[in-house]
Structure formats: structure tokens, C-alpha cells
Amino acid sequence: MNKQATLEEAIAQIRDGASIMVGGFGSPGTPFCLIEELIRQGQTGLTLIKNDANEQSIGISRLIENGQVKKLISTHIGLNKKVVGMMNDGSLEVAFFPQGILAEKIRTTGAGSFGFLTDIGLHSEITDPKDVIVWQGREVKIEPALYADVALIHAHTADHFGNLTYQATAMNFCPLMAMAADTVIAETSNVVTPGAIQPEAVHTPSAFVTSVVAVDTDRPEYGLMEGRYER
Amino acid sequence: MNKQATLEEAIAQIRDGASIMVGGFGSPGTPFCLIEELIRQGQTGLTLIKNDANEQSIGISRLIENGQVKKLISTHIGLNKKVVGMMNDGSLEVAFFPQGILAEKIRTTGAGSFGFLTDIGLHSEITDPKDVIVWQGREVKIEPALYADVALIHAHTADHFGNLTYQATAMNFCPLMAMAADTVIAETSNVVTPGAIQPEAVHTPSAFVTSVVAVDTDRPEYGLMEGRYER
Amino acid sequence: MSVEKILKRAAREIQDGQTINLGIGLPTMLVEYLPLDHDVMIHSENGVLGTGRKANEKEANPYLIDAGGSYVTTRPGAAFFDSAVSFAMIRRSKLDMSVMGAFEVDQEGNLANWKIPGKFSPGIGGAMELAQKTGTILILCTHTDKYGKSKILKKCTLPLTAEKCVSRIITDMAVMDVTPEGLVLREVAEGLTPEEVIKATDAELIPADTIGSF
Amino acid sequence: MSVEKILKRAAREIQDGQTINLGIGLPTMLVEYLPLDHDVMIHSENGVLGTGRKANEKEANPYLIDAGGSYVTTRPGAAFFDSAVSFAMIRRSKLDMSVMGAFEVDQEGNLANWKIPGKFSPGIGGAMELAQKTGTILILCTHTDKYGKSKILKKCTLPLTAEKCVSRIITDMAVMDVTPEGLVLREVAEGLTPEEVIKATDAELIPADTIGSF
């Protein structure tokens, strides 16, 4: 039940061609250390699922720039000119979903369901008419659940069993991805003994987590980015 | 933005014939004071949605025994012989769903969706063949979202804006019902000023809550029940 | 007596490190029989991972019950969550084993434990999702009903909880495994012969090469 | 200059006690213009209800940003939640108003603000759900693009974010309301005449009985 693992052995669970959900909305919640190890180990042909592409030269942008990524499933990559360029020149396949629909598609897998019925973007170009059904007298779109082999997430605190808490906006997609993926690897700089996290304070229960990796968050990516705060 | 209300004015929002989700798995999470006020005000023709029927002579069983309830949507009422009797003699209409399906139907409304695709009970007597579709080569059942006019829930702590926390197993259906119903009334014996609940500790964000009612939890229903603990 | 026999034998099925759900009734009582050196996570579908034994009057918290309504303790490393997350865990197959009671089980592993039409239909509860989605389903029940009729059948007659879901059945008379070949008799209770068990059983029992006792 | 004009006018739209979402760009800057005596809950779709003004270097928490990536403060009574809950709040229509930018808006209230085919398609983000499900959509944009072409059109030409969703449009030149009768010109910027605004606008503007100025 002790799920502590080294960075190396945790990331070694990932195969070439794997689909990987990566937590984070911008930097908060992005597991930078797990990503660096994935770059070091060099798995290729990956499909990444993340809200955004991080910014140029950090986070999953480094995986993409490094040629390890075949496809990106995302909601918005506007802050990353490099990845937009790779999308436009065809060197990276990209699929977009509305942000809350991406979140819900992930959670739907996490809840053991196969899809959900929505009216978001029903009459827009994002909807393929073959996904539209008339049901109880109403046109609705079936959104399939989105699955991944692996989830990589950043937690504020983790106990040995894999109970996780998140800080502020670093929560975002992390709890959903933890529910959805088969193998869930959580990095944290605060590993605590079971019982140190109050049961009511747990954001992700241990049953969803495969490996807990203790990391140093000294890397600059975990710190403040210049120009994003008031002087 | 201050959502504090008296017991009387909060419950007066409920009309005859309303559909009402009631929090609680057994006693924990059941809003006994809100229910008592609903008995006092006497709205009738109600549809109740609750995991169970509480036990005889407490909680929603009192509403049912009092003849205010037309229909109960539930998962299991085995601990309440009185309500089982009313179901069997036809004086109460009852519909059952698997427990997690009921939870998910409620959350689906809360997420602004219309239904979800599942395989639970697909080939059993709980499935009407008209709800089964073949989708992506697989037989799945469409479970419609379940809506209610009102949710009545018990919170451990609430601030003036309606941010809520729950204690232990009193959480159960409460956060889901808070998302799903149009009017959400939360009772608590701990009303605090905004800021007293850490933003990371909030279980139900204030946007989902209509009214916060301060109640005394001195009633015996909130205490220990005899015979349910070890000597 | 027979209850204790079933529970003692069932406790040996639980592996160190497993996450398990214990159904209402006989299975819940298994908590008291678990080996002390086993570290197990018990899931209660009302929103707990990590319940412990029943609470005494001093420990009992009115807001902390198990799915059967008893006040329980929690172990270090426990977590509370809502009913949607609780069943997400179940339907996403994060539990290793569910231990359940049965009205009827048959030799194909079909299970009926939620409804007796016209007699008993208090609702489905969490049984259907647990039975359909947990990797290993262990059934604990008496071998026969109060009229001496076998609960272990060729084919279930009651509405099913889930199809072909059962892995192992432990009764006061026998330990049986559902296999592709049929229902295999692995062990018989002390004092019984395999022939006596086979005679008391409606299902076709395939005797294992060696039949143990418990 | 014109940006400040738009923001000052837009701030008057926010009611005490409202829950609002401010889109990336111009709308986010509205925080600094809100009346001090107004108690407002600002929703940020990355998982906050209750953001405040931008954080300075001392206050900034690297784990606390708004949806535009700026470090922000929070107000007492703020809550954090995951992205599924954040958009549940949006799709369940719990926000009173969303303030958004636009590439194009038309006189039927159609909105295009996420994609310019062949030129700009960085993704949908949260715009589609906000536009489709928030009760009141307030659009802030310059009246014309950098070539002097009206952004307020008879009919949008770009892929829509949502159909018939816009309530009010505030530009550097005018305040306009989408009504069943068409697009009504309510106010014009100081120094402009209604005729000048109408001339600069592709959409058919219906002058209100009295046209104010701002």
C-alpha cells in the first residue's frame, strides 16, 4: 500500500506510444519534474492530453519541441507560439475541445461511464453531425469519454498511500485525470505519513493513485514568472 | 451575497408539488431541522430524492408518514419497514436506481449535461430496452440526468456566502445535490464569516447555494443512535 | 457457529495491501477476523476509504457510519468523499475485491442478492455496481436456506444483481470456485465428505483433484 | 485611451452581489475599475470563485493564477475547485454575467471570438461554454479593427462561439443592446454623434428614443 517510487521507476512505467494526461492549467499543477524525467528516458510517439501546451521551453512544450509527441489534445495553446507553429506546419497533430468539455470527458472515464449528452457547440463547427442524436425530443450531442494510459500530476501533499491535496489553482484537471488514467503518477515536494492529511481534506483518495514521487520544487518553473505580477 | 435566511423563509421557497433532493446517507447529512420546518409548513404532493428513507419516525420518513410525499426516488429503503409497507400497499410511489447511478444522475444535472452512457444493469430488469443504443459498436444505456427544484442539505460549516464543508460520511449526496437543484438550502450549526473556511477546504463553492440556515443540532436525530456502536 | 466458520475461512482470502468492499451483513463482520499483520483498505460506499472496526460509544461520531449504518472508526490514511466519487472508484474498478452475501449463486457465477419479487424489494443499493465492476467477487452465504434448499444453483431463478461476476463462494459447507469448466469444489468443512456437500448442492460441483478441508 | 473609456463604462454594468467571469484581455482589466462599494464574486475558469486584483511580487503565489496566467489575489470567501466543477458552475448557469472580447458580433447577438480560419486558431478555451450558458453576455471590444472595418456586423462571418448569446456591446464608440427588434444604439461616446456611430457600423443600428453619452 506504500506507493512511494523513485522518479526513474515511476516514469519507466510509460511505454512508447502511450496516451498521457498531464495536469496543470498553465504552470500551476504541471508536474515539471515528471516531465523532465520523461524527456530523459525518451519515450516517443506519445499522445498528450493537457489543458494547454505550457509556454515555450517549459513543461510539455519541451516534450513537444523534443519530438516525443505525436498528438496533443488540448483546449487552448495561445500562449505558446512554438507549438502553434508546429501545429500549423503539420509536425504536431492537435485536437481542441471546449475547456469544460475536455474536463468532463476526462471525468466521465474516471466515473466508469462511456460518454455524456451535451448541447455545448451543438450547432457549431466543432460538432460532427454523426454525434448528434434526438433524444426525449431534444437534439443532443454525445461526447465520448476520454481515456489515457497514464496521468502525470502535481500535488501539494501526498501521503504514502497516495492520498493527495492540491494548492489553489494547481488543482484544475489533476483530480479528474487521477480518476481517469490507468496508471497515475503524482509528484509532490511534501510526502507525509498516512494520517497526516485529515480525511475531509483529501482531494484525491488513494485508490486512484499508482505512484507517489518525492521531488524538489527548486526548479525555476515552480517559481514566479516575471511580468505576471504587478510591480 | 449574504445568503443567511431564517428557517421559515428558507423553507417557504418550496411550493406544493415540488421535487426535492434531500442529502444524507442514513442520518449523517440529513437536514433534520429543514425537514421539520417542511412538516410544519405542510407543503404536499412532493417528490423526494434521497439515498434512503431514513428510519421510521425520523427524517424524510416523517414527511412520508405525514402524507406530504407523492413519490420517492431512492436506492435502498430496507431499514424502514413503514415506508416499505407504504410502497407495497401503493400509498407511496417509489422508484429505485443503483446507488452510484442515482449519484451520477444528480451530478449530471449539476454539470449542465442531459444524460450519460453506462453499462450498469444493462441486461437486467432495471433497464428499459428503449434506453439502450448501440454506439461505437457497443451496447450502452442512456441514463437521463435527474433534476429537482430544491435541495435540502446539512453542512458542517457554512459561511455567509454559502461556501460549505461537510464532516465525515455526512458528505455523501450533499455536494451533488447542491450542484443539481435550482434552489439549494443548506442548514448548519456553524455559520462563519467569509474567509474563515480556507479556499482549499471548501467542499461546495458558494455559487451553488441559495440559502444558509443556522440551526441547533440538539435534536436527538443528530446524536448517536443506540445499538449502532460496540459496547 | 457456521457464521464464524465462514468468516474465519473468508478472512484468509484477503491479501495484504488490498482495497476491499464488505457488503452489509455477514461480510461487514469480516473486519473483526482480518489478520492483524495485513494492511487493508476497506471501502464503504457511503464515502470512506479506510474504515476500521466498529466504534464503541466513546469513539462513535454521529456523522461517521459505514454503509450498514454502524458507527465505525477510521484508520490513518483514510479519506472521505462524495457518493459520485465513491462509485466512480467502484465503476472504474479500483477495488480489488467485494465480499457480498447472496440469495442465490449459480455455477456460471451469476449472482442474485437484491430482490425477491413479491417478497423483498427494498432497492438495489450499491450491489449492482459492486458486483458488475469489482475484479474479484467473493460470496459468503449459508449453503442452504432455512428450508434446507441449496442456494448454490445450476441457474439462478431470481432477478440477477450481475451476470457471471462471482469468483469464489464460501459457505458453511464448502469453498467453491467459478471456473470456465464449471463450479469446482475446492474445500469441504471439517466433518463433511465431498459426497455430502455434492448431495446438498443443486449446482453441478466438479471435485478438485485434491479437496482440502477448513 | 479608448481602452480606459470602455472599461470605465463597462464597470457600471456590474451590479452589487453579482457573480461574473472576466475573459482574457480587456475584460480582465475590468477588476481595477469596479466600484469599491460593490461586493462582487469573480469566477476564474481555472478553478477559483473570488479572485481579487492582480498580486504584486510579494503577494504572488506561483500556484495561484487567473485564467489569463496572471498572479492574482483572492478575497475572503473565495473557493478553489477542479475544472469539472468550474465548468459545472458555468454550464449550470450559476454565473450572472460573462464579460468577453469579440472579433465580430452581429445584430442578432451572435458572437465570434475564438477562431479566424487560416490565421488564428489556438483553441476554444472556455469561451464556448461561457457564451452559451451565462445569462448575460457583455461584449467589450473596439468598434472597428485596425483597418477601420466595423466589428459590429449584420451577420458574423467567422465561426461562431455561440449563437444569439450577446446582451450588450460596449465599444470605444457606443453602447448597444441586442433586442428582439434588432441592435439598439443606447449611448455614444462623448464627442461623437449617433450619425457618426451609425456610419462606422456595419450592423443596422436602431437609435433609442433617447441616446445618452459616456
Side-chain angles (χ1 to χ4, degrees):
Chain A
M1 221 135 49
N2 189 327
K3 296 175 182 165
Q4 288 177 280
T6 66
L7 196 46
E8 184 168 354
E9 70 196 14
I11 295 299
Q13 298 173 89
I14 302 174
R15 310 253 169 115
D16 286 345
S19 54
I20 309 178
M21 293 174 173
V22 184
F25 185 114
S27 285
T30 304
F32 293 110
C33 288
L34 299 181
I35 292 168
E36 286 308 307
E37 178 64 14
L38 188 51
I39 291 169
R40 198 188 68 79
Q41 293 191 14
Q43 289 87 334
T44 58
L46 305 174
T47 294
L48 297 189
I49 300 161
K50 186 182 186 292
N51 176 67
D52 51 76
N54 287 117
E55 298 182 36
Q56 203 170 322
S57 306
I58 69 165
I60 67 162
S61 191
R62 277 171 51 74
L63 275 171
I64 296 168
E65 293 167 35
N66 200 34
Q68 293 174 257
V69 181
K70 190 182 65 182
K71 182 174 180 179
L72 172 65
I73 298 173
S74 186
T75 81
H76 200 284
I77 60 173
L79 288 174
N80 193 323
K81 284 205 173 69
K82 181 90 181 184
V83 173
V84 168
M86 290 175 71
M87 169 178 73
N88 289 341
D89 73 18
S91 58
L92 177 72
E93 187 186 348
V94 179
F96 290 121
F97 292 101
Q99 196 171 119
I101 296 299
L102 183 67
E104 198 68 13
K105 285 166 78 76
I106 294 168
R107 188 199 167 277
T108 299
T109 291
S113 300
F114 303 104
F116 63 99
L117 306 182
T118 183
D119 62 353
I120 296 299
L122 187 62
H123 300 298
S124 78
E125 65 165 52
I126 69 164
T127 297
D128 184 333
K130 77 170 170 39
D131 294 329
V132 177
I133 62 170
V134 176
W135 183 67
Q136 296 190 338
R138 175 205 284 272
E139 260 192 329
V140 290
K141 176 182 182 180
I142 302 183
E143 277 289 352
L146 186 61
Y147 163 85
D149 302 315
V150 180
L152 304 180
I153 60 184
H154 177 86
H156 179 260
T157 304
D159 71 19
H160 301 163
F161 297 162
N163 287 303
L164 308 181
T165 71
Y166 308 100
Q167 185 185 7
T169 60
M171 182 184 288
N172 57 72
F173 285 75
C174 294
L176 315 170
M177 292 173 166
M179 289 165 71
D182 269 354
T183 299
V184 177
I185 305 171
E187 61 157 55
T188 181
S189 58
N190 303 299
V191 179
V192 298
T193 53
I197 305 174
Q198 284 299 309
E200 277 96 352
V202 169
H203 290 134
T204 291
S206 62
F208 293 115
V209 176
T210 315
S211 305
V212 171
V213 180
V215 297
D216 249 330
T217 50
D218 293 344
R219 300 180 60 89
E221 294 95 318
Y222 293 103
L224 291 180
M225 293 173 90
E226 295 241 358
R228 300 297 169 81
Y229 42 81
E230 297 285 290
R231 283 283 146 200
Chain B
M1 219 133 53
N2 190 328
K3 296 173 182 164
Q4 288 177 279
T6 66
L7 196 47
E8 183 167 356
E9 69 196 14
I11 295 300
Q13 299 174 88
I14 302 175
R15 310 254 169 113
D16 286 345
S19 54
I20 309 178
M21 292 172 174
V22 184
F25 185 115
S27 285
T30 304
F32 293 110
C33 289
L34 299 181
I35 292 167
E36 287 307 308
E37 177 64 15
L38 189 51
I39 291 169
R40 198 189 66 81
Q41 293 191 15
Q43 288 88 333
T44 58
L46 304 173
T47 294
L48 297 189
I49 300 160
K50 186 182 186 293
N51 176 67
D52 51 77
N54 287 119
E55 297 182 39
Q56 203 170 323
S57 306
I58 70 164
I60 67 163
S61 190
R62 277 171 50 74
L63 275 170
I64 295 168
E65 293 166 34
N66 201 33
Q68 294 174 255
V69 181
K70 188 182 66 180
K71 181 174 180 178
L72 172 66
I73 299 173
S74 187
T75 80
H76 200 283
I77 59 172
L79 287 175
N80 192 322
K81 283 206 174 67
K82 180 91 182 183
V83 173
V84 167
M86 290 176 70
M87 168 178 77
N88 288 342
D89 73 20
S91 57
L92 177 72
E93 187 186 346
V94 178
F96 291 121
F97 292 101
Q99 195 171 119
I101 296 300
L102 182 67
E104 198 67 13
K105 286 166 78 76
I106 294 168
R107 187 198 169 278
T108 298
T109 291
S113 301
F114 304 103
F116 64 98
L117 307 182
T118 183
D119 63 352
I120 297 298
L122 188 62
H123 300 296
S124 79
E125 66 166 52
I126 70 163
T127 296
D128 183 336
K130 78 170 168 39
D131 295 329
V132 176
I133 63 171
V134 175
W135 183 68
Q136 297 190 340
R138 175 204 285 272
E139 259 192 329
V140 289
K141 176 182 184 181
I142 301 183
E143 277 289 353
L146 186 62
Y147 163 85
D149 302 316
V150 179
L152 304 180
I153 59 183
H154 177 85
H156 178 259
T157 305
D159 70 20
H160 301 164
F161 297 161
N163 287 304
L164 308 180
T165 70
Y166 308 100
Q167 185 185 7
T169 61
M171 181 183 288
N172 57 69
F173 285 74
C174 293
L176 315 170
M177 291 173 167
M179 290 165 70
D182 269 354
T183 299
V184 177
I185 306 171
E187 62 158 54
T188 180
S189 58
N190 303 299
V191 179
V192 297
T193 53
I197 305 174
Q198 283 299 307
E200 277 95 352
V202 170
H203 289 134
T204 291
S206 61
F208 293 115
V209 176
T210 315
S211 306
V212 171
V213 180
V215 297
D216 249 331
T217 50
D218 293 344
R219 300 180 61 88
E221 294 96 318
Y222 293 103
L224 289 180
M225 293 173 89
E226 295 242 358
R228 301 296 170 82
Y229 42 81
E230 296 286 291
R231 283 282 145 202
Chain C
M1 206 69 252
S2 67
V3 162
E4 201 179 330
K5 190 168 193 67
I6 295 172
L7 290 168
K8 276 189 173 162
R9 178 60 189 84
R12 287 163 47 198
E13 298 295 311
I14 315 295
Q15 309 293 317
D16 187 36
Q18 277 190 325
T19 299
I20 60 177
N21 182 289
L22 303 177
I24 296 173
L26 205 54
T28 304
M29 296 164 66
L30 201 52
V31 179
E32 317 290 337
Y33 291 80
L34 293 178
L36 290 174
D37 58 345
H38 274 22
D39 202 13
V40 170
M41 269 296 175
I42 300 174
H43 173 270
S44 191
E45 58 266 39
N46 56 328
V48 197
L49 191 64
T51 59
R53 53 173 177 68
K54 277 198 180 189
N56 62 38
E57 191 169 0
K58 267 199 172 152
E59 299 164 315
N61 167 357
Y63 295 97
L64 177 47
I65 62 173
D66 65 14
S70 296
Y71 300 108
V72 287
T73 56
T74 54
R75 50 163 296 164
F80 300 132
F81 34 80
D82 68 45
S83 298
V85 170
S86 187
F87 279 86
M89 215 175 269
I90 292 169
R91 291 194 304 266
R92 191 68 184 85
S93 298
K94 297 293 178 181
L95 306 190
D96 298 309
M97 185 188 287
S98 285
V99 188
M100 310 181 100
F103 299 148
E104 296 178 349
V105 205
D106 71 25
Q107 60 197 39
E108 293 175 14
N110 296 309
L111 171 66
N113 72 357
W114 74 278
K115 185 175 184 177
I116 303 173
K119 276 195 187 160
F120 179 83
S121 57
I124 309 161
M128 203 171 266
E129 289 153 283
L130 283 163
Q132 195 172 329
K133 294 294 183 182
T134 310
T136 301
I137 302 291
L138 174 66
I139 299 298
L140 309 186
C141 62
T142 55
H143 206 87
T144 57
D145 68 15
K146 56 185 171 181
Y147 307 106
K149 217 174 132 255
S150 171
K151 293 186 180 178
I152 320 300
L153 304 178
K154 285 190 182 62
K155 192 84 188 169
C156 286
T157 64
L158 296 171
L160 294 185
T161 309
E163 292 172 310
K164 297 182 175 148
C165 61
V166 175
S167 297
R168 176 163 274 201
I169 308 161
I170 300 178
T171 71
D172 49 326
M173 297 180 78
V175 176
M176 295 152 282
D177 283 348
V178 179
T179 75
E181 288 71 41
L183 195 59
V184 174
L185 178 63
R186 296 273 183 222
E187 300 174 26
V188 298
E190 265 178 32
L192 291 179
T193 65
E195 290 66 34
E196 287 171 313
V197 171
I198 289 169
K199 201 169 164 225
T201 308
D202 176 70
E204 287 172 36
L205 286 181
I206 306 169
D209 289 347
T210 53
I211 295 180
S213 82
F214 70 103
Chain D
M1 204 73 251
S2 67
V3 162
E4 202 180 328
K5 193 169 191 63
I6 295 172
L7 291 169
K8 275 187 173 163
R9 178 60 190 81
R12 288 161 47 198
E13 299 295 312
I14 315 297
Q15 311 289 320
D16 187 37
Q18 279 190 323
T19 299
I20 60 177
N21 183 287
L22 304 176
I24 295 173
L26 206 54
T28 304
M29 295 164 67
L30 201 53
V31 179
E32 316 291 337
Y33 291 81
L34 293 179
L36 290 174
D37 58 344
H38 274 21
D39 202 14
V40 170
M41 269 297 176
I42 300 173
H43 173 270
S44 192
E45 59 266 39
N46 56 327
V48 196
L49 190 65
T51 59
R53 54 171 177 68
K54 277 197 180 189
N56 62 36
E57 190 170 358
K58 265 198 176 155
E59 298 165 316
N61 168 356
Y63 295 98
L64 176 47
I65 62 174
D66 66 15
S70 297
Y71 299 109
V72 287
T73 57
T74 54
R75 51 163 296 164
F80 300 131
F81 33 80
D82 69 44
S83 297
V85 170
S86 187
F87 279 86
M89 214 176 268
I90 292 169
R91 290 193 306 265
R92 191 67 185 84
S93 299
K94 297 294 179 182
L95 306 191
D96 298 308
M97 185 188 288
S98 284
V99 188
M100 311 181 100
F103 300 148
E104 297 178 348
V105 205
D106 70 26
Q107 60 197 41
E108 293 175 13
N110 296 309
L111 171 65
N113 74 356
W114 75 277
K115 185 175 184 180
I116 304 174
K119 275 193 186 158
F120 178 84
S121 56
I124 307 161
M128 201 170 268
E129 288 152 283
L130 283 163
Q132 195 173 329
K133 293 294 182 181
T134 311
T136 301
I137 301 292
L138 174 66
I139 298 298
L140 309 186
C141 62
T142 56
H143 206 86
T144 57
D145 68 14
K146 57 185 170 182
Y147 307 107
K149 217 174 134 253
S150 172
K151 291 185 180 177
I152 320 300
L153 304 177
K154 286 190 182 64
K155 191 85 190 168
C156 286
T157 64
L158 297 172
L160 296 184
T161 309
E163 292 172 312
K164 298 183 175 147
C165 61
V166 175
S167 298
R168 178 163 274 202
I169 308 162
I170 299 177
T171 71
D172 50 326
M173 297 180 78
V175 177
M176 295 152 284
D177 282 350
V178 180
T179 75
E181 289 70 40
L183 195 59
V184 174
L185 178 63
R186 295 272 183 225
E187 299 174 26
V188 298
E190 265 177 31
L192 290 179
T193 63
E195 291 67 33
E196 286 171 314
V197 172
I198 289 170
K199 201 171 163 224
T201 308
D202 176 70
E204 286 171 37
L205 286 182
I206 305 170
D209 289 345
T210 54
I211 295 181
S213 83
F214 70 102

